[in-house]
Amino acid sequence: MIKKKKDIIKSLAINAKDVGSTEIQIGLLTEKITKLSEHFKRFKKDKHSTLGLSKSVNKRKKLLAYLKRKNTESYQKVIKQLNLRK
């Protein structure tokens, strides 16, 4: 997890010290959503984690909308890099 998190931060960072930009937050949320989706394939009745998944999806959706408004070029890069459909 930590190795993967550092890889995401490194691949989406705007500059060397960047750790919390919108792009990185979207990348980390995407990783979390992927992990939770895999979890639900095995544990279909886990209703408590469903709330966390829906909150993560909604937060990522809001961040993507913000990024699209503020920096379309960066938005396109993030969508392509994370393989999100849009």
Side-chain angles (χ1 to χ4, degrees):
M1 171 62 194
I2 293 178
K3 182 89 167 148
K4 190 141 191 158
K5 185 175 180 178
K6 285 184 180 179
D7 292 341
I8 291 171
I9 291 172
K10 195 179 292 182
S11 67
L12 294 171
I14 298 170
N15 58 41
K17 294 191 176 198
D18 182 21
V19 290
S21 66
T22 308
E23 293 86 348
I24 291 174
Q25 289 180 47
I26 292 169
L28 294 175
L29 281 170
T30 301
E31 177 63 26
K32 182 178 180 182
I33 290 166
T34 306
K35 278 180 46 181
L36 280 171
S37 297
E38 292 298 318
H39 173 77
F40 287 128
K41 288 178 184 173
R42 290 189 310 166
F43 304 103
K44 291 178 177 34
K45 294 186 178 184
D46 184 0
K47 297 301 176 191
H48 291 287
S49 298
T50 316
L51 181 64
L53 177 65
S54 62
K55 281 184 177 181
S56 297
V57 169
N58 288 331
K59 186 170 182 101
R60 182 179 71 179
K61 186 177 177 183
K62 286 178 185 177
L63 286 170
L64 282 168
Y66 169 80
L67 191 61
K68 189 174 184 179
R69 255 191 349 264
K70 294 292 180 183
N71 191 348
T72 312
E73 185 180 305
S74 182
Y75 170 79
Q76 294 296 333
K77 179 186 152 212
V78 168
I79 291 291
K80 192 174 205 172
Q81 192 168 352
L82 295 176
N83 239 358
L84 298 174
R85 56 184 181 267
K86 278 198 179 183

